Amino acid sequence: MIAPFTESYPDREGFTTENFARTVLDGALRDRIRLLSNVIHIYTQIVFQQPPCRQDNGDNLRDALVTMRWNVAEMDDIIRGGGSTLPVRYTPAQYVASVSGALRRHASIIQQCAASLRDDPLTAGVRLKALNGQTVGEMAADILSRMTEVVRLIGLAAYYAERLRAAD
């Protein structure tokens, strides 16, 4: 369920769609996605630079990181305006809903991949020398913790779009 506006969220009446897009979509959400992209990119580089060992189920680890990296790149493209083409006469609600829906699909895949790494008993305990002994499970938990804010902002955007539709 999408969380309703609280005191920490701007009131729909006092927050224009342009301000919302600039502040939330082009501001906070874009920044969080770029940071997440950098983190996933660094983790992917580190894992690909070390030889896979039998116990870490290396192919699954590498596949999961490549999948996360691709999906976060897609999220970055969407948030920069490279998402699906909207109808000629789209409404602000359609725009916000389209962006939040597209982002949510990719965010879900990243969360699934990171959770599977964190929860895999063989992979989660593998220590990564280049990360000062941090485990794959800790790496995955870091990605999931960063996803929490991304998903919260996507939920805010979806809720905002619902509020716009209700006001129309």
Side-chain angles (χ1 to χ4, degrees):
M1 178 172 158
I2 298 170
F5 282 120
T6 65
E7 304 80 48
S8 64
Y9 293 154
D11 186 343
R12 153 73 184 109
E13 288 75 29
F15 209 51
T16 67
T17 304
E18 290 169 3
N19 284 341
F20 181 85
R22 185 173 41 257
T23 303
V24 177
L25 298 179
D26 295 335
L29 187 53
R30 180 183 278 187
D31 291 345
R32 299 303 186 301
I33 289 171
R34 284 187 176 160
L35 177 60
L36 179 66
S37 178
N38 288 337
V39 167
I40 291 173
H41 176 79
I42 290 167
Y43 283 146
T44 303
Q45 293 300 96
I46 288 169
V47 167
F48 273 81
Q49 287 176 3
Q50 71 179 34
C53 57
R54 270 186 250 157
Q55 76 217 47
D56 75 354
N57 203 0
D59 289 339
N60 288 341
L61 172 59
R62 290 169 184 230
D63 289 347
L65 284 165
V66 167
T67 299
M68 287 189 283
R69 189 170 167 183
W70 183 84
N71 278 281
V72 79
E74 289 295 306
M75 290 175 74
D76 188 51
D77 185 50
I78 291 164
I79 202 70
R80 287 185 295 113
S84 62
T85 303
L86 292 168
V88 173
R89 294 184 181 179
Y90 70 93
T91 66
Q94 286 174 310
Y95 170 72
V96 175
S98 173
V99 168
S100 63
L103 290 173
R104 181 173 278 149
R105 287 185 290 277
H106 294 288
S108 176
I109 294 168
I110 293 170
Q111 287 179 304
Q112 290 171 2
C113 288
S116 71
L117 291 176
R118 182 197 60 200
D119 298 339
D120 182 342
L122 291 176
T123 306
V126 173
R127 297 209 175 274
L128 302 169
K129 292 178 186 175
L131 291 176
N132 295 327
Q134 181 181 20
T135 66
V136 170
E138 292 167 337
M139 175 190 72
D142 179 36
I143 293 168
L144 286 169
S145 71
R146 294 171 191 278
M147 284 300 301
T148 300
E149 184 65 10
V150 170
V151 170
R152 187 185 76 77
L153 289 168
I154 292 169
L156 172 62
Y159 181 76
Y160 187 80
E162 287 176 20
R163 295 278 307 253
L164 285 174
R165 284 182 181 149
D168 287 344

